PDB file of all heavy atoms in Angstrom:
ATOM      1  N   ILE A   1      11.182 -17.485   4.336  1.00 95.00           N
ATOM      2  CA  ILE A   1      11.741 -16.744   5.510  1.00 95.00           C
ATOM      3  C   ILE A   1      10.995 -15.392   5.687  1.00 95.00           C
ATOM      4  O   ILE A   1      11.071 -14.826   6.776  1.00 95.00           O
ATOM      5  CB  ILE A   1      13.233 -16.492   5.388  1.00 95.00           C
ATOM      6  CG1 ILE A   1      13.558 -15.729   4.100  1.00 95.00           C
ATOM      7  CG2 ILE A   1      13.989 -17.815   5.428  1.00 95.00           C
ATOM      8  CD1 ILE A   1      15.039 -15.335   3.987  1.00 95.00           C
ATOM      9  N   TYR A   2      10.346 -14.901   4.617  1.00 93.00           N
ATOM     10  CA  TYR A   2       9.550 -13.684   4.761  1.00 93.00           C
ATOM     11  C   TYR A   2       8.388 -13.679   3.865  1.00 93.00           C
ATOM     12  O   TYR A   2       8.506 -13.870   2.624  1.00 93.00           O
ATOM     13  CB  TYR A   2      10.487 -12.443   4.430  1.00 93.00           C
ATOM     14  CG  TYR A   2       9.681 -11.137   4.380  1.00 93.00           C
ATOM     15  CD1 TYR A   2       9.163 -10.584   5.536  1.00 93.00           C
ATOM     16  CD2 TYR A   2       9.463 -10.481   3.178  1.00 93.00           C
ATOM     17  CE1 TYR A   2       8.439  -9.424   5.496  1.00 93.00           C
ATOM     18  CE2 TYR A   2       8.760  -9.260   3.125  1.00 93.00           C
ATOM     19  CZ  TYR A   2       8.249  -8.748   4.307  1.00 93.00           C
ATOM     20  OH  TYR A   2       7.522  -7.591   4.273  1.00 93.00           O
ATOM     21  N   ASP A   3       7.197 -13.528   4.419  1.00 91.00           N
ATOM     22  CA  ASP A   3       5.953 -13.520   3.681  1.00 91.00           C
ATOM     23  C   ASP A   3       5.426 -12.067   3.698  1.00 91.00           C
ATOM     24  O   ASP A   3       4.957 -11.540   4.684  1.00 91.00           O
ATOM     25  CB  ASP A   3       4.916 -14.441   4.315  1.00 91.00           C
ATOM     26  CG  ASP A   3       3.655 -14.551   3.481  1.00 91.00           C
ATOM     27  OD1 ASP A   3       3.545 -13.787   2.450  1.00 91.00           O
ATOM     28  OD2 ASP A   3       2.764 -15.360   3.819  1.00 91.00           O
ATOM     29  N   ARG A   4       5.498 -11.424   2.548  1.00 87.00           N
ATOM     30  CA  ARG A   4       5.085 -10.050   2.394  1.00 87.00           C
ATOM     31  C   ARG A   4       3.616  -9.856   2.804  1.00 87.00           C
ATOM     32  O   ARG A   4       3.248  -8.793   3.311  1.00 87.00           O
ATOM     33  CB  ARG A   4       5.324  -9.616   0.937  1.00 87.00           C
ATOM     34  CG  ARG A   4       4.653  -8.362   0.464  1.00 87.00           C
ATOM     35  CD  ARG A   4       5.223  -7.127   1.100  1.00 87.00           C
ATOM     36  NE  ARG A   4       4.624  -5.931   0.589  1.00 87.00           N
ATOM     37  CZ  ARG A   4       4.677  -4.748   1.165  1.00 87.00           C
ATOM     38  NH1 ARG A   4       5.316  -4.622   2.342  1.00 87.00           N
ATOM     39  NH2 ARG A   4       4.113  -3.679   0.607  1.00 87.00           N
ATOM     40  N   TYR A   5       2.771 -10.866   2.549  1.00 79.00           N
ATOM     41  CA  TYR A   5       1.318 -10.704   2.768  1.00 79.00           C
ATOM     42  C   TYR A   5       0.823 -11.420   3.981  1.00 79.00           C
ATOM     43  O   TYR A   5      -0.369 -11.688   4.081  1.00 79.00           O
ATOM     44  CB  TYR A   5       0.578 -11.123   1.523  1.00 79.00           C
ATOM     45  CG  TYR A   5       0.911 -10.250   0.346  1.00 79.00           C
ATOM     46  CD1 TYR A   5       1.859 -10.632  -0.598  1.00 79.00           C
ATOM     47  CD2 TYR A   5       0.325  -8.978   0.193  1.00 79.00           C
ATOM     48  CE1 TYR A   5       2.248  -9.804  -1.672  1.00 79.00           C
ATOM     49  CE2 TYR A   5       0.673  -8.146  -0.863  1.00 79.00           C
ATOM     50  CZ  TYR A   5       1.602  -8.564  -1.787  1.00 79.00           C
ATOM     51  OH  TYR A   5       1.947  -7.733  -2.816  1.00 79.00           O
ATOM     52  N   LYS A   6       1.711 -11.736   4.868  1.00 79.00           N
ATOM     53  CA  LYS A   6       1.279 -12.392   6.104  1.00 79.00           C
ATOM     54  C   LYS A   6       0.434 -11.487   6.975  1.00 79.00           C
ATOM     55  O   LYS A   6      -0.548 -11.876   7.588  1.00 79.00           O
ATOM     56  CB  LYS A   6       2.460 -12.930   6.897  1.00 79.00           C
ATOM     57  CG  LYS A   6       2.068 -13.715   8.105  1.00 79.00           C
ATOM     58  CD  LYS A   6       3.297 -14.357   8.787  1.00 79.00           C
ATOM     59  CE  LYS A   6       2.889 -15.173   9.965  1.00 79.00           C
ATOM     60  NZ  LYS A   6       4.047 -15.859  10.613  1.00 79.00           N
ATOM     61  N   ALA A   7       0.819 -10.204   7.020  1.00 67.00           N
ATOM     62  CA  ALA A   7       0.022  -9.197   7.805  1.00 67.00           C
ATOM     63  C   ALA A   7      -1.323  -9.032   7.135  1.00 67.00           C
ATOM     64  O   ALA A   7      -1.403  -8.707   5.951  1.00 67.00           O
ATOM     65  CB  ALA A   7       0.798  -7.912   7.855  1.00 67.00           C
ATOM     66  N   PRO A   8      -2.434  -9.160   7.882  1.00 61.00           N
ATOM     67  CA  PRO A   8      -3.778  -9.060   7.292  1.00 61.00           C
ATOM     68  C   PRO A   8      -4.052  -7.718   6.628  1.00 61.00           C
ATOM     69  O   PRO A   8      -4.820  -7.677   5.690  1.00 61.00           O
ATOM     70  CB  PRO A   8      -4.716  -9.384   8.451  1.00 61.00           C
ATOM     71  CG  PRO A   8      -3.899  -9.218   9.667  1.00 61.00           C
ATOM     72  CD  PRO A   8      -2.498  -9.479   9.341  1.00 61.00           C
ATOM     73  N   GLU A   9      -3.438  -6.634   7.115  1.00 61.00           N
ATOM     74  CA  GLU A   9      -3.697  -5.305   6.542  1.00 61.00           C
ATOM     75  C   GLU A   9      -3.307  -5.235   5.105  1.00 61.00           C
ATOM     76  O   GLU A   9      -3.882  -4.487   4.321  1.00 61.00           O
ATOM     77  CB  GLU A   9      -2.943  -4.212   7.351  1.00 61.00           C
ATOM     78  CG  GLU A   9      -3.077  -4.248   8.838  1.00 61.00           C
ATOM     79  CD  GLU A   9      -2.142  -5.216   9.501  1.00 61.00           C
ATOM     80  OE1 GLU A   9      -0.937  -5.182   9.287  1.00 61.00           O
ATOM     81  OE2 GLU A   9      -2.708  -6.041  10.271  1.00 61.00           O
ATOM     82  N   ARG A  10      -2.249  -6.016   4.675  1.00 62.00           N
ATOM     83  CA  ARG A  10      -1.818  -5.936   3.331  1.00 62.00           C
ATOM     84  C   ARG A  10      -2.671  -6.718   2.344  1.00 62.00           C
ATOM     85  O   ARG A  10      -2.458  -6.639   1.158  1.00 62.00           O
ATOM     86  CB  ARG A  10      -0.385  -6.471   3.247  1.00 62.00           C
ATOM     87  CG  ARG A  10       0.617  -5.538   3.985  1.00 62.00           C
ATOM     88  CD  ARG A  10       2.035  -6.094   3.909  1.00 62.00           C
ATOM     89  NE  ARG A  10       2.922  -5.151   4.615  1.00 62.00           N
ATOM     90  CZ  ARG A  10       3.991  -5.576   5.267  1.00 62.00           C
ATOM     91  NH1 ARG A  10       4.342  -6.822   5.303  1.00 62.00           N
ATOM     92  NH2 ARG A  10       4.774  -4.670   5.895  1.00 62.00           N
ATOM     93  N   ASN A  11      -3.609  -7.486   2.878  1.00 61.00           N
ATOM     94  CA  ASN A  11      -4.516  -8.231   2.043  1.00 61.00           C
ATOM     95  C   ASN A  11      -5.891  -7.549   1.885  1.00 61.00           C
ATOM     96  O   ASN A  11      -6.742  -8.004   1.129  1.00 61.00           O
ATOM     97  CB  ASN A  11      -4.745  -9.639   2.572  1.00 61.00           C
ATOM     98  CG  ASN A  11      -3.503 -10.500   2.429  1.00 61.00           C
ATOM     99  OD1 ASN A  11      -2.964 -10.598   1.325  1.00 61.00           O
ATOM    100  ND2 ASN A  11      -3.072 -11.140   3.503  1.00 61.00           N
ATOM    101  N   LYS A  12      -6.052  -6.399   2.603  1.00 62.00           N
ATOM    102  CA  LYS A  12      -7.339  -5.717   2.542  1.00 62.00           C
ATOM    103  C   LYS A  12      -7.349  -4.723   1.369  1.00 62.00           C
ATOM    104  O   LYS A  12      -6.365  -4.043   1.130  1.00 62.00           O
ATOM    105  CB  LYS A  12      -7.604  -4.953   3.871  1.00 62.00           C
ATOM    106  CG  LYS A  12      -7.772  -5.861   5.077  1.00 62.00           C
ATOM    107  CD  LYS A  12      -8.009  -5.036   6.312  1.00 62.00           C
ATOM    108  CE  LYS A  12      -8.216  -5.903   7.543  1.00 62.00           C
ATOM    109  NZ  LYS A  12      -8.411  -5.113   8.746  1.00 62.00           N
ATOM    110  N   PRO A  13      -8.493  -4.636   0.665  1.00 60.00           N
ATOM    111  CA  PRO A  13      -8.587  -3.633  -0.422  1.00 60.00           C
ATOM    112  C   PRO A  13      -8.695  -2.261   0.127  1.00 60.00           C
ATOM    113  O   PRO A  13      -9.200  -2.060   1.255  1.00 60.00           O
ATOM    114  CB  PRO A  13      -9.841  -4.037  -1.206  1.00 60.00           C
ATOM    115  CG  PRO A  13     -10.691  -4.731  -0.149  1.00 60.00           C
ATOM    116  CD  PRO A  13      -9.704  -5.458   0.757  1.00 60.00           C
ATOM    117  N   ASN A  14      -8.269  -1.248  -0.636  1.00 59.00           N
ATOM    118  CA  ASN A  14      -8.436   0.143  -0.270  1.00 59.00           C
ATOM    119  C   ASN A  14      -9.849   0.529  -0.632  1.00 59.00           C
ATOM    120  O   ASN A  14     -10.232   0.534  -1.830  1.00 59.00           O
ATOM    121  CB  ASN A  14      -7.417   0.971  -1.023  1.00 59.00           C
ATOM    122  CG  ASN A  14      -7.436   2.464  -0.571  1.00 59.00           C
ATOM    123  OD1 ASN A  14      -8.480   2.987  -0.243  1.00 59.00           O
ATOM    124  ND2 ASN A  14      -6.267   3.028  -0.512  1.00 59.00           N
ATOM    125  N   LEU A  15     -10.657   0.873   0.323  1.00 58.00           N
ATOM    126  CA  LEU A  15     -12.128   1.140   0.104  1.00 58.00           C
ATOM    127  C   LEU A  15     -12.360   2.442  -0.647  1.00 58.00           C
ATOM    128  O   LEU A  15     -13.445   2.693  -1.135  1.00 58.00           O
ATOM    129  CB  LEU A  15     -12.857   1.137   1.446  1.00 58.00           C
ATOM    130  CG  LEU A  15     -12.816  -0.134   2.258  1.00 58.00           C
ATOM    131  CD1 LEU A  15     -13.688   0.013   3.460  1.00 58.00           C
ATOM    132  CD2 LEU A  15     -13.229  -1.336   1.426  1.00 58.00           C
ATOM    133  N   TYR A  16     -11.306   3.286  -0.723  1.00 56.00           N
ATOM    134  CA  TYR A  16     -11.495   4.620  -1.349  1.00 56.00           C
ATOM    135  C   TYR A  16     -10.718   4.829  -2.595  1.00 56.00           C
ATOM    136  O   TYR A  16     -10.699   5.959  -3.128  1.00 56.00           O
ATOM    137  CB  TYR A  16     -11.140   5.687  -0.308  1.00 56.00           C
ATOM    138  CG  TYR A  16     -11.912   5.555   0.977  1.00 56.00           C
ATOM    139  CD1 TYR A  16     -11.323   4.949   2.115  1.00 56.00           C
ATOM    140  CD2 TYR A  16     -13.237   5.956   1.062  1.00 56.00           C
ATOM    141  CE1 TYR A  16     -12.040   4.825   3.258  1.00 56.00           C
ATOM    142  CE2 TYR A  16     -13.965   5.803   2.208  1.00 56.00           C
ATOM    143  CZ  TYR A  16     -13.400   5.245   3.317  1.00 56.00           C
ATOM    144  OH  TYR A  16     -14.101   5.061   4.433  1.00 56.00           O
ATOM    145  N   SER A  17     -10.092   3.786  -3.118  1.00 60.00           N
ATOM    146  CA  SER A  17      -9.263   3.978  -4.336  1.00 60.00           C
ATOM    147  C   SER A  17      -9.234   2.711  -5.174  1.00 60.00           C
ATOM    148  O   SER A  17      -8.567   1.746  -4.777  1.00 60.00           O
ATOM    149  CB  SER A  17      -7.852   4.439  -3.954  1.00 60.00           C
ATOM    150  OG  SER A  17      -7.022   4.489  -5.075  1.00 60.00           O
ATOM    151  N   TRP A  18      -9.905   2.745  -6.329  1.00 57.00           N
ATOM    152  CA  TRP A  18      -9.786   1.659  -7.291  1.00 57.00           C
ATOM    153  C   TRP A  18      -8.395   1.628  -7.846  1.00 57.00           C
ATOM    154  O   TRP A  18      -7.844   0.563  -8.063  1.00 57.00           O
ATOM    155  CB  TRP A  18     -10.794   1.884  -8.413  1.00 57.00           C
ATOM    156  CG  TRP A  18     -10.750   0.836  -9.475  1.00 57.00           C
ATOM    157  CD1 TRP A  18     -11.487  -0.311  -9.525  1.00 57.00           C
ATOM    158  CD2 TRP A  18      -9.934   0.870 -10.625  1.00 57.00           C
ATOM    159  NE1 TRP A  18     -11.162  -1.045 -10.648  1.00 57.00           N
ATOM    160  CE2 TRP A  18     -10.243  -0.349 -11.389  1.00 57.00           C
ATOM    161  CE3 TRP A  18      -8.974   1.742 -11.164  1.00 57.00           C
ATOM    162  CZ2 TRP A  18      -9.580  -0.664 -12.582  1.00 57.00           C
ATOM    163  CZ3 TRP A  18      -8.362   1.435 -12.375  1.00 57.00           C
ATOM    164  CH2 TRP A  18      -8.692   0.268 -13.041  1.00 57.00           C
ATOM    165  N   ARG A  19      -7.764   2.759  -8.033  1.00 60.00           N
ATOM    166  CA  ARG A  19      -6.406   2.861  -8.578  1.00 60.00           C
ATOM    167  C   ARG A  19      -5.388   2.169  -7.667  1.00 60.00           C
ATOM    168  O   ARG A  19      -4.532   1.454  -8.150  1.00 60.00           O
ATOM    169  CB  ARG A  19      -6.048   4.331  -8.774  1.00 60.00           C
ATOM    170  CG  ARG A  19      -4.682   4.599  -9.377  1.00 60.00           C
ATOM    171  CD  ARG A  19      -4.371   6.077  -9.421  1.00 60.00           C
ATOM    172  NE  ARG A  19      -3.091   6.310 -10.112  1.00 60.00           N
ATOM    173  CZ  ARG A  19      -2.905   6.444 -11.367  1.00 60.00           C
ATOM    174  NH1 ARG A  19      -3.973   6.373 -12.186  1.00 60.00           N
ATOM    175  NH2 ARG A  19      -1.739   6.658 -11.945  1.00 60.00           N
ATOM    176  N   ALA A  20      -5.553   2.391  -6.377  1.00 62.00           N
ATOM    177  CA  ALA A  20      -4.610   1.763  -5.411  1.00 62.00           C
ATOM    178  C   ALA A  20      -4.689   0.256  -5.437  1.00 62.00           C
ATOM    179  O   ALA A  20      -3.704  -0.453  -5.190  1.00 62.00           O
ATOM    180  CB  ALA A  20      -4.817   2.291  -3.992  1.00 62.00           C
ATOM    181  N   ASN A  21      -5.867  -0.299  -5.737  1.00 62.00           N
ATOM    182  CA  ASN A  21      -6.053  -1.749  -5.751  1.00 62.00           C
ATOM    183  C   ASN A  21      -5.632  -2.385  -7.058  1.00 62.00           C
ATOM    184  O   ASN A  21      -5.313  -3.585  -7.047  1.00 62.00           O
ATOM    185  CB  ASN A  21      -7.531  -2.074  -5.536  1.00 62.00           C
ATOM    186  CG  ASN A  21      -7.998  -1.689  -4.146  1.00 62.00           C
ATOM    187  OD1 ASN A  21      -7.269  -1.836  -3.184  1.00 62.00           O
ATOM    188  ND2 ASN A  21      -9.217  -1.213  -4.025  1.00 62.00           N
ATOM    189  N   ASN A  22      -5.568  -1.636  -8.161  1.00 64.00           N
ATOM    190  CA  ASN A  22      -5.417  -2.255  -9.444  1.00 64.00           C
ATOM    191  C   ASN A  22      -4.188  -1.810 -10.214  1.00 64.00           C
ATOM    192  O   ASN A  22      -3.784  -2.546 -11.165  1.00 64.00           O
ATOM    193  CB  ASN A  22      -6.604  -2.008 -10.307  1.00 64.00           C
ATOM    194  CG  ASN A  22      -7.859  -2.703  -9.835  1.00 64.00           C
ATOM    195  OD1 ASN A  22      -8.077  -3.879 -10.120  1.00 64.00           O
ATOM    196  ND2 ASN A  22      -8.658  -2.030  -9.004  1.00 64.00           N
ATOM    197  N   LEU A  23      -3.553  -0.732  -9.867  1.00 68.00           N
ATOM    198  CA  LEU A  23      -2.359  -0.250 -10.581  1.00 68.00           C
ATOM    199  C   LEU A  23      -1.081  -0.448  -9.773  1.00 68.00           C
ATOM    200  O   LEU A  23      -1.113  -0.598  -8.587  1.00 68.00           O
ATOM    201  CB  LEU A  23      -2.535   1.214 -10.956  1.00 68.00           C
ATOM    202  CG  LEU A  23      -3.743   1.527 -11.835  1.00 68.00           C
ATOM    203  CD1 LEU A  23      -3.759   3.036 -12.199  1.00 68.00           C
ATOM    204  CD2 LEU A  23      -3.727   0.699 -13.106  1.00 68.00           C
ATOM    205  N   PHE A  24       0.014  -0.476 -10.519  1.00 68.00           N
ATOM    206  CA  PHE A  24       1.352  -0.726  -9.919  1.00 68.00           C
ATOM    207  C   PHE A  24       1.741   0.414  -8.985  1.00 68.00           C
ATOM    208  O   PHE A  24       1.568   1.557  -9.288  1.00 68.00           O
ATOM    209  CB  PHE A  24       2.399  -0.934 -11.001  1.00 68.00           C
ATOM    210  CG  PHE A  24       3.780  -0.913 -10.493  1.00 68.00           C
ATOM    211  CD1 PHE A  24       4.294  -2.067  -9.808  1.00 68.00           C
ATOM    212  CD2 PHE A  24       4.620   0.156 -10.624  1.00 68.00           C
ATOM    213  CE1 PHE A  24       5.569  -2.099  -9.306  1.00 68.00           C
ATOM    214  CE2 PHE A  24       5.922   0.141 -10.145  1.00 68.00           C
ATOM    215  CZ  PHE A  24       6.387  -0.979  -9.480  1.00 68.00           C
TER     216      PHE A  24
END
């Protein structure tokens, strides 16, 4: 009923932060 990652923006990596992509 709800897909958290359906929006394409939520599947894109953060180009300016390795921390944002890999840490909780």
Side-chain angles (χ1 to χ4, degrees):
I1 59 175
Y2 172 68
D3 185 355
R4 164 70 175 161
Y5 296 98
K6 184 173 183 178
E9 310 83 52
R10 291 179 181 147
N11 289 310
K12 294 179 180 178
N14 188 324
L15 301 184
Y16 303 102
S17 174
W18 179 91
R19 183 184 182 87
N21 293 322
N22 292 274
L23 299 183
F24 170 75

